[in-house]
Short mmCIF file of all heavy atoms in Angstrom, two decimals:
data_model
loop_
_atom_site.label_atom_id
_atom_site.label_comp_id
_atom_site.label_asym_id
_atom_site.label_seq_id
_atom_site.Cartn_x
_atom_site.Cartn_y
_atom_site.Cartn_z
N TYR A 1 0.83 -1.21 0.00
CA TYR A 1 0.00 0.00 0.00
C TYR A 1 0.86 1.26 0.00
O TYR A 1 1.94 1.29 0.60
CB TYR A 1 -0.91 0.04 1.23
CG TYR A 1 -1.98 -1.02 1.24
CD1 TYR A 1 -1.77 -2.23 1.90
CD2 TYR A 1 -3.19 -0.82 0.59
CE1 TYR A 1 -2.75 -3.22 1.91
CE2 TYR A 1 -4.18 -1.80 0.60
CZ TYR A 1 -3.95 -2.99 1.26
OH TYR A 1 -4.92 -3.97 1.27
N ASP A 2 0.33 2.29 -0.65
CA ASP A 2 0.91 3.62 -0.57
C ASP A 2 0.13 4.38 0.51
O ASP A 2 -1.05 4.67 0.33
CB ASP A 2 0.81 4.34 -1.92
CG ASP A 2 1.57 5.66 -1.93
OD1 ASP A 2 1.66 6.31 -0.87
OD2 ASP A 2 2.07 6.03 -3.00
N LYS A 3 0.78 4.68 1.63
CA LYS A 3 0.10 5.31 2.76
C LYS A 3 -0.36 6.73 2.42
O LYS A 3 -1.27 7.26 3.07
CB LYS A 3 1.02 5.35 3.98
CG LYS A 3 1.41 3.96 4.50
CD LYS A 3 0.23 3.23 5.07
CE LYS A 3 -0.15 3.80 6.41
NZ LYS A 3 -1.26 3.06 7.06
N ARG A 4 0.26 7.35 1.42
CA ARG A 4 -0.15 8.71 1.06
C ARG A 4 -1.54 8.72 0.44
O ARG A 4 -2.32 9.66 0.63
CB ARG A 4 0.86 9.31 0.09
CG ARG A 4 2.26 9.50 0.67
CD ARG A 4 3.25 9.85 -0.41
NE ARG A 4 3.34 8.81 -1.42
CZ ARG A 4 4.15 8.85 -2.49
NH1 ARG A 4 4.94 9.90 -2.66
NH2 ARG A 4 4.18 7.85 -3.35
N THR A 5 -1.85 7.68 -0.33
CA THR A 5 -3.13 7.64 -1.03
C THR A 5 -4.09 6.61 -0.45
O THR A 5 -5.29 6.64 -0.72
CB THR A 5 -2.90 7.30 -2.51
OG1 THR A 5 -2.34 5.97 -2.61
CG2 THR A 5 -1.94 8.29 -3.16
N GLY A 6 -3.53 5.66 0.33
CA GLY A 6 -4.35 4.59 0.87
C GLY A 6 -4.68 3.53 -0.17
O GLY A 6 -5.50 2.65 0.08
N GLU A 7 -4.04 3.60 -1.32
CA GLU A 7 -4.33 2.67 -2.40
C GLU A 7 -3.29 1.55 -2.48
O GLU A 7 -2.13 1.75 -2.14
CB GLU A 7 -4.39 3.42 -3.74
CG GLU A 7 -5.53 4.43 -3.82
CD GLU A 7 -5.56 5.15 -5.16
OE1 GLU A 7 -4.65 4.92 -5.98
OE2 GLU A 7 -6.49 5.94 -5.37
N GLU A 8 -3.74 0.41 -2.97
CA GLU A 8 -2.84 -0.72 -3.16
C GLU A 8 -1.98 -0.49 -4.39
O GLU A 8 -2.44 0.03 -5.42
CB GLU A 8 -3.64 -2.01 -3.33
CG GLU A 8 -2.75 -3.24 -3.48
CD GLU A 8 -3.53 -4.54 -3.60
OE1 GLU A 8 -4.79 -4.50 -3.45
OE2 GLU A 8 -2.91 -5.58 -3.86
N ILE A 9 -0.72 -0.86 -4.28
CA ILE A 9 0.20 -0.81 -5.41
C ILE A 9 0.25 -2.22 -6.01
O ILE A 9 0.61 -3.18 -5.33
CB ILE A 9 1.61 -0.37 -4.97
CG1 ILE A 9 1.56 1.03 -4.37
CG2 ILE A 9 2.59 -0.43 -6.13
CD1 ILE A 9 2.88 1.47 -3.75
N LEU A 10 -0.12 -2.34 -7.24
CA LEU A 10 -0.17 -3.65 -7.89
C LEU A 10 1.20 -3.98 -8.49
O LEU A 10 1.73 -3.24 -9.31
CB LEU A 10 -1.24 -3.65 -8.99
CG LEU A 10 -2.67 -3.39 -8.49
CD1 LEU A 10 -3.64 -3.38 -9.67
CD2 LEU A 10 -3.09 -4.44 -7.47
N LEU A 11 1.74 -5.11 -8.06
CA LEU A 11 3.04 -5.56 -8.55
C LEU A 11 2.85 -6.79 -9.43
O LEU A 11 1.92 -7.57 -9.25
CB LEU A 11 3.95 -5.94 -7.37
CG LEU A 11 4.23 -4.86 -6.31
CD1 LEU A 11 5.15 -5.43 -5.24
CD2 LEU A 11 4.83 -3.62 -6.95
N THR A 12 3.75 -6.96 -10.39
CA THR A 12 3.77 -8.18 -11.17
C THR A 12 4.31 -9.31 -10.30
O THR A 12 4.86 -9.07 -9.21
CB THR A 12 4.66 -8.03 -12.42
OG1 THR A 12 6.03 -7.89 -11.99
CG2 THR A 12 4.24 -6.83 -13.24
N GLY A 13 4.19 -10.52 -10.77
CA GLY A 13 4.68 -11.67 -10.01
C GLY A 13 6.15 -11.56 -9.66
O GLY A 13 6.55 -11.77 -8.51
N LYS A 14 6.98 -11.20 -10.63
CA LYS A 14 8.42 -11.11 -10.39
C LYS A 14 8.76 -9.93 -9.48
O LYS A 14 9.64 -10.03 -8.63
CB LYS A 14 9.18 -10.99 -11.71
CG LYS A 14 9.17 -12.25 -12.56
CD LYS A 14 9.79 -13.44 -11.81
CE LYS A 14 9.83 -14.68 -12.69
NZ LYS A 14 10.22 -15.89 -11.92
N GLN A 15 8.06 -8.82 -9.67
CA GLN A 15 8.30 -7.67 -8.79
C GLN A 15 7.99 -8.03 -7.34
O GLN A 15 8.73 -7.69 -6.42
CB GLN A 15 7.45 -6.48 -9.23
CG GLN A 15 7.88 -5.87 -10.55
CD GLN A 15 6.85 -4.90 -11.12
OE1 GLN A 15 5.80 -4.67 -10.52
NE2 GLN A 15 7.13 -4.35 -12.28
N HIS A 16 6.89 -8.75 -7.15
CA HIS A 16 6.51 -9.18 -5.80
C HIS A 16 7.56 -10.13 -5.22
O HIS A 16 7.94 -10.01 -4.04
CB HIS A 16 5.14 -9.86 -5.84
CG HIS A 16 4.65 -10.29 -4.50
ND1 HIS A 16 4.04 -9.42 -3.62
CD2 HIS A 16 4.69 -11.49 -3.88
CE1 HIS A 16 3.73 -10.08 -2.52
NE2 HIS A 16 4.11 -11.33 -2.66
N GLN A 17 8.04 -11.08 -6.02
CA GLN A 17 9.05 -12.03 -5.55
C GLN A 17 10.34 -11.31 -5.16
O GLN A 17 10.97 -11.65 -4.15
CB GLN A 17 9.33 -13.06 -6.64
CG GLN A 17 8.23 -14.09 -6.82
CD GLN A 17 8.57 -15.07 -7.93
OE1 GLN A 17 8.20 -14.90 -9.08
NE2 GLN A 17 9.33 -16.08 -7.59
N ILE A 18 10.74 -10.34 -5.96
CA ILE A 18 11.96 -9.58 -5.66
C ILE A 18 11.80 -8.84 -4.34
O ILE A 18 12.69 -8.88 -3.48
CB ILE A 18 12.29 -8.60 -6.80
CG1 ILE A 18 12.69 -9.37 -8.06
CG2 ILE A 18 13.41 -7.64 -6.39
CD1 ILE A 18 12.76 -8.50 -9.31
N LEU A 19 10.66 -8.16 -4.16
CA LEU A 19 10.44 -7.41 -2.93
C LEU A 19 10.44 -8.34 -1.72
O LEU A 19 11.05 -8.03 -0.68
CB LEU A 19 9.12 -6.65 -3.02
CG LEU A 19 8.74 -5.82 -1.78
CD1 LEU A 19 9.81 -4.79 -1.46
CD2 LEU A 19 7.38 -5.16 -1.98
N MET A 20 9.75 -9.47 -1.80
CA MET A 20 9.70 -10.40 -0.69
C MET A 20 11.08 -10.98 -0.37
O MET A 20 11.41 -11.24 0.78
CB MET A 20 8.71 -11.54 -0.99
CG MET A 20 7.25 -11.12 -0.99
SD MET A 20 6.73 -10.42 0.61
CE MET A 20 6.17 -8.81 0.08
N TYR A 21 11.89 -11.17 -1.41
CA TYR A 21 13.25 -11.68 -1.17
C TYR A 21 14.06 -10.66 -0.39
O TYR A 21 14.79 -11.00 0.55
CB TYR A 21 13.94 -12.00 -2.49
CG TYR A 21 15.24 -12.75 -2.31
CD1 TYR A 21 15.25 -14.09 -1.92
CD2 TYR A 21 16.47 -12.12 -2.49
CE1 TYR A 21 16.43 -14.78 -1.73
CE2 TYR A 21 17.66 -12.79 -2.31
CZ TYR A 21 17.64 -14.12 -1.92
OH TYR A 21 18.82 -14.80 -1.73
N PHE A 22 13.93 -9.38 -0.73
CA PHE A 22 14.59 -8.33 0.03
C PHE A 22 14.13 -8.36 1.49
O PHE A 22 14.93 -8.21 2.42
CB PHE A 22 14.29 -6.95 -0.56
CG PHE A 22 15.17 -6.57 -1.71
CD1 PHE A 22 14.62 -6.26 -2.95
CD2 PHE A 22 16.54 -6.47 -1.56
CE1 PHE A 22 15.43 -5.89 -4.02
CE2 PHE A 22 17.36 -6.10 -2.61
CZ PHE A 22 16.81 -5.80 -3.84
N LEU A 23 12.82 -8.52 1.72
CA LEU A 23 12.28 -8.49 3.07
C LEU A 23 12.69 -9.72 3.89
O LEU A 23 12.71 -9.66 5.11
CB LEU A 23 10.76 -8.36 3.04
CG LEU A 23 10.22 -7.07 2.43
CD1 LEU A 23 8.70 -7.04 2.52
CD2 LEU A 23 10.82 -5.85 3.09
N ARG A 24 12.99 -10.81 3.22
CA ARG A 24 13.51 -11.98 3.94
C ARG A 24 14.98 -11.81 4.30
O ARG A 24 15.52 -12.60 5.08
CB ARG A 24 13.31 -13.25 3.10
CG ARG A 24 11.86 -13.72 3.03
CD ARG A 24 11.76 -15.14 2.52
NE ARG A 24 12.25 -15.30 1.18
CZ ARG A 24 11.51 -15.11 0.08
NH1 ARG A 24 10.24 -14.74 0.19
NH2 ARG A 24 12.03 -15.27 -1.12
N HIS A 25 15.63 -10.81 3.68
CA HIS A 25 17.04 -10.54 3.95
C HIS A 25 17.23 -9.06 4.26
O HIS A 25 17.96 -8.34 3.58
CB HIS A 25 17.90 -10.94 2.75
CG HIS A 25 17.78 -12.38 2.37
ND1 HIS A 25 16.72 -12.87 1.63
CD2 HIS A 25 18.55 -13.45 2.66
CE1 HIS A 25 16.87 -14.18 1.46
NE2 HIS A 25 17.97 -14.55 2.08
N PRO A 26 16.53 -8.57 5.29
CA PRO A 26 16.56 -7.14 5.57
C PRO A 26 17.94 -6.64 5.93
O PRO A 26 18.70 -7.34 6.62
CB PRO A 26 15.60 -7.00 6.76
CG PRO A 26 15.65 -8.32 7.43
CD PRO A 26 15.79 -9.32 6.31
N ASN A 27 18.28 -5.45 5.43
CA ASN A 27 19.52 -4.76 5.76
C ASN A 27 20.77 -5.44 5.19
O ASN A 27 21.88 -4.97 5.44
CB ASN A 27 19.68 -4.61 7.28
CG ASN A 27 18.46 -3.99 7.92
OD1 ASN A 27 18.07 -2.89 7.56
ND2 ASN A 27 17.84 -4.71 8.86
N GLN A 28 20.59 -6.51 4.44
CA GLN A 28 21.73 -7.21 3.86
C GLN A 28 22.00 -6.70 2.44
O GLN A 28 21.07 -6.43 1.69
CB GLN A 28 21.48 -8.72 3.80
CG GLN A 28 21.33 -9.36 5.17
CD GLN A 28 21.14 -10.86 5.07
OE1 GLN A 28 21.63 -11.51 4.15
NE2 GLN A 28 20.43 -11.43 6.01
N VAL A 29 23.28 -6.61 2.08
CA VAL A 29 23.66 -6.26 0.72
C VAL A 29 23.59 -7.52 -0.13
O VAL A 29 24.27 -8.51 0.14
CB VAL A 29 25.08 -5.67 0.67
CG1 VAL A 29 25.44 -5.30 -0.76
CG2 VAL A 29 25.18 -4.44 1.56
N LEU A 30 22.72 -7.50 -1.14
CA LEU A 30 22.48 -8.69 -1.96
C LEU A 30 23.03 -8.47 -3.37
O LEU A 30 22.56 -7.58 -4.08
CB LEU A 30 20.98 -8.99 -2.03
CG LEU A 30 20.27 -9.16 -0.69
CD1 LEU A 30 18.77 -9.32 -0.91
CD2 LEU A 30 20.82 -10.36 0.06
N PRO A 31 23.99 -9.27 -3.79
CA PRO A 31 24.49 -9.16 -5.17
C PRO A 31 23.39 -9.49 -6.17
O PRO A 31 22.50 -10.29 -5.89
CB PRO A 31 25.61 -10.21 -5.22
CG PRO A 31 25.98 -10.47 -3.80
CD PRO A 31 24.72 -10.28 -3.00
N LYS A 32 23.47 -8.89 -7.35
CA LYS A 32 22.43 -9.12 -8.37
C LYS A 32 22.35 -10.59 -8.75
O LYS A 32 21.26 -11.11 -9.03
CB LYS A 32 22.70 -8.26 -9.61
CG LYS A 32 23.99 -8.53 -10.34
CD LYS A 32 24.12 -7.60 -11.55
CE LYS A 32 25.40 -7.85 -12.34
NZ LYS A 32 26.63 -7.56 -11.56
N GLU A 33 23.50 -11.28 -8.74
CA GLU A 33 23.49 -12.70 -9.09
C GLU A 33 22.66 -13.50 -8.11
O GLU A 33 21.90 -14.40 -8.51
CB GLU A 33 24.94 -13.24 -9.12
CG GLU A 33 25.83 -12.62 -10.17
CD GLU A 33 26.52 -11.35 -9.69
OE1 GLU A 33 26.20 -10.86 -8.57
OE2 GLU A 33 27.39 -10.84 -10.40
N GLN A 34 22.79 -13.19 -6.82
CA GLN A 34 22.06 -13.91 -5.79
C GLN A 34 20.56 -13.68 -5.92
O GLN A 34 19.75 -14.62 -5.81
CB GLN A 34 22.54 -13.46 -4.41
CG GLN A 34 21.84 -14.15 -3.25
CD GLN A 34 22.35 -13.65 -1.91
OE1 GLN A 34 23.50 -13.24 -1.78
NE2 GLN A 34 21.51 -13.69 -0.90
N ILE A 35 20.17 -12.42 -6.15
CA ILE A 35 18.74 -12.11 -6.28
C ILE A 35 18.16 -12.83 -7.50
O ILE A 35 17.09 -13.45 -7.43
CB ILE A 35 18.54 -10.59 -6.42
CG1 ILE A 35 19.10 -9.85 -5.21
CG2 ILE A 35 17.05 -10.27 -6.59
CD1 ILE A 35 19.15 -8.35 -5.38
N TYR A 36 18.86 -12.73 -8.62
CA TYR A 36 18.35 -13.34 -9.86
C TYR A 36 18.17 -14.84 -9.68
O TYR A 36 17.12 -15.40 -10.03
CB TYR A 36 19.32 -13.06 -11.01
CG TYR A 36 18.87 -13.65 -12.32
CD1 TYR A 36 18.07 -12.93 -13.20
CD2 TYR A 36 19.22 -14.96 -12.68
CE1 TYR A 36 17.63 -13.48 -14.38
CE2 TYR A 36 18.79 -15.51 -13.87
CZ TYR A 36 18.00 -14.77 -14.72
OH TYR A 36 17.56 -15.32 -15.90
N GLU A 37 19.18 -15.51 -9.14
CA GLU A 37 19.11 -16.97 -9.04
C GLU A 37 18.04 -17.42 -8.04
O GLU A 37 17.44 -18.48 -8.21
CB GLU A 37 20.49 -17.51 -8.66
CG GLU A 37 21.50 -17.34 -9.80
CD GLU A 37 22.90 -17.82 -9.47
OE1 GLU A 37 23.11 -18.30 -8.32
OE2 GLU A 37 23.78 -17.71 -10.33
N ALA A 38 17.78 -16.60 -7.01
CA ALA A 38 16.73 -16.94 -6.05
C ALA A 38 15.34 -16.76 -6.65
O ALA A 38 14.45 -17.58 -6.41
CB ALA A 38 16.88 -16.07 -4.80
#
C-alpha cells in the first residue's frame, strides 16, 4: 500500500518475488546474481 493515497500498489509476479526476497534478507547487501538466481 501507498500510505499517502491509501491505495494498493499492484506488482507483477516477479516484482513481488523480488520485494519479498529483500524483506527476507533485511539490511543485507544482496548481489544481483544472488537475487536473480533466487
Side-chain angles (χ1 to χ4, degrees):
Y1 293 94
D2 188 328
K3 297 293 286 183
R4 296 169 300 181
T5 64
E7 295 180 356
E8 182 178 354
I9 299 173
L10 299 178
L11 303 180
T12 67
K14 290 301 182 189
Q15 290 167 1
H16 182 80
Q17 286 179 266
I18 292 169
L19 179 59
M20 290 301 122
Y21 190 73
F22 276 122
L23 296 183
R24 288 195 297 273
H25 301 80
N27 308 303
Q28 296 182 30
V29 180
L30 304 174
K32 62 180 181 296
E33 297 87 352
Q34 180 181 331
I35 301 170
Y36 180 90
E37 291 178 0

